[in-house]
Amino acid sequence: MLEVVRAGLLTTVQDSGRAGWARFGVPPAGPADPFALRAANILVGNDPGVAGPVLRASCECLIAACGAEFEISVGNSPLPAWCSAPVPAGCEIRFGERRSGARAYLAISGGIAVKDFLNSRATYLTGGLGGLEGRPLRTGDKLPLGPMKDNPALCAGKTWPRSARPLYSPHPTLRVVLGPQDDCFTAKGLATFLNSEYEVTAASNRMGCRLRGPLVAHRNQVDIVSDGVVTGSVQIPGDGQPIALMVDHPTTGGYPKIATIIRADLPLTAQCLPGDHVRFEAVSIAEAQAVLRTQMSIPIDNPAI
């Protein structure tokens, strides 16, 4: 059991997300930075999609925190990020000052054993479903833990290789595959999109990352008949300002989509904060697949130490 001693700004239960329900209007939810959650779970011996949040452990367990860089301590000892460490029963896990990035993921051996909803424990805040009553965690919440697969001591001390971590930055270049409606934009509009810098605005959240910068010109119509969207779709509404859809995105939309951020670069998008700046670079589908294969090629059961 884990007790929430202090909930923080926005702490939720997340696993790898709720795939396969978009036709019913249910978005995937899950982690905004899926790479960080996957790495954290692997480091503590869980399956890559097991849920994992924050706080005081009532029993001995193993934890790992990945993603944004925070001051993290277990009892009175600092916890290095991207590294697994044992937690004695009764010990507190504290998140302190943020140093960089936006989102950190804490995985716990055995995972958080809240009830599944549509085959996932991911919290979808807008719909109020999944996780713990579909809401952020509150002080005093108690979270059941799943059974550990291995002795925590056997996995303690493993470190995710620095060379295999995403290159988080406050000014990343996000690789995109153009389409499916890039023909809705003028040649100048496409050039503007690919050669300009866009600022992440304060109107960004888990649903979408709203950007501000040079206007992307439409060819004629600024709306389309609503069709399906995916995480990473970049819509251009009538004001010409891009919106990159995140994991809590609606499942359809009527703004033309100029491009889709490749899956391997979604973590870079998720770790941006208001005031950060992004650029876009077009790549082919084959290049996007090759980058993802490389990113996911770290052995799951035995990451390099």
Side-chain angles (χ1 to χ4, degrees):
M1 182 76 71
L2 280 183
E3 179 181 356
V4 179
V5 178
R6 185 182 62 201
L9 288 177
L10 181 63
T11 304
T12 59
V13 177
Q14 298 293 347
D15 62 9
S16 58
R18 194 168 284 106
W21 301 97
R23 65 189 184 281
F24 300 116
V26 180
D33 182 347
F35 186 92
L37 179 62
R38 175 176 176 270
N41 274 312
I42 291 172
L43 287 170
V44 298
N46 289 340
D47 293 332
V50 174
V54 193
L55 319 0
R56 180 189 293 136
S58 63
C59 59
E60 181 184 9
C61 61
L62 187 72
I63 66 169
C66 299
E69 189 178 355
F70 282 79
E71 287 183 350
I72 310 171
S73 61
V74 176
N76 294 321
S77 301
L79 172 69
W82 302 86
C83 180
S84 61
V87 178
C91 196
E92 287 190 357
I93 307 157
R94 292 179 175 271
F95 279 67
E97 180 180 353
R98 183 190 65 85
R99 294 169 175 155
S100 64
R103 297 175 169 91
Y105 296 86
L106 180 71
I108 301 163
S109 50
I112 304 298
V114 293
K115 188 176 180 181
D116 277 8
F117 181 81
L118 300 179
N119 305 323
S120 171
R121 292 170 176 147
T123 306
Y124 173 40
L125 294 173
T126 304
L129 54 85
L132 187 66
E133 302 171 355
R135 61 169 174 77
L137 299 183
R138 300 170 183 161
T139 299
D141 282 341
K142 292 181 171 56
L143 302 170
L145 296 181
M148 291 182 287
K149 292 198 303 185
D150 300 308
N151 185 332
L154 297 178
C155 291
K158 286 188 175 180
T159 301
W160 199 265
R162 184 171 294 278
S163 61
R165 302 174 192 173
L167 297 175
Y168 298 134
S169 166
H171 42 78
T173 294
L174 306 175
R175 288 164 289 191
V176 298
V177 174
L178 292 175
Q181 286 112 21
D182 51 321
D183 58 346
C184 289
F185 303 91
T186 65
K188 183 178 179 181
L190 276 171
T192 299
F193 175 71
L194 293 174
N195 295 292
S196 302
E197 187 172 84
Y198 288 90
E199 179 182 358
V200 177
T201 73
S204 302
N205 54 28
R206 282 176 50 87
M207 183 180 295
C209 182
R210 287 185 172 270
L211 305 174
R212 178 170 52 223
L215 184 149
V216 179
H218 295 77
R219 186 179 298 278
N220 291 308
Q221 65 190 67
V222 298
D223 295 311
I224 60 171
V225 176
S226 292
D227 64 2
V229 298
V230 298
T231 305
S233 291
V234 182
Q235 297 177 318
I236 308 290
D239 63 3
Q241 301 296 297
I243 304 172
L245 298 184
M246 305 296 285
V247 289
D248 283 356
H249 62 79
T251 55
T252 62
Y255 298 138
K257 297 170 285 295
I258 194 170
T260 302
I261 299 170
I262 70 172
R263 183 174 168 184
D265 284 355
L266 290 176
L268 308 184
T269 317
Q271 296 295 350
C272 284
L273 287 168
D276 290 348
H277 291 80
V278 304
R279 302 183 70 90
F280 296 101
E281 175 188 353
V283 297
S284 67
I285 292 176
E287 290 172 298
Q289 292 171 335
V291 172
L292 183 62
R293 278 196 294 270
T294 299
Q295 188 183 73
M296 303 294 280
S297 63
I298 299 298
I300 290 178
D301 294 325
N302 185 29
I305 296 176

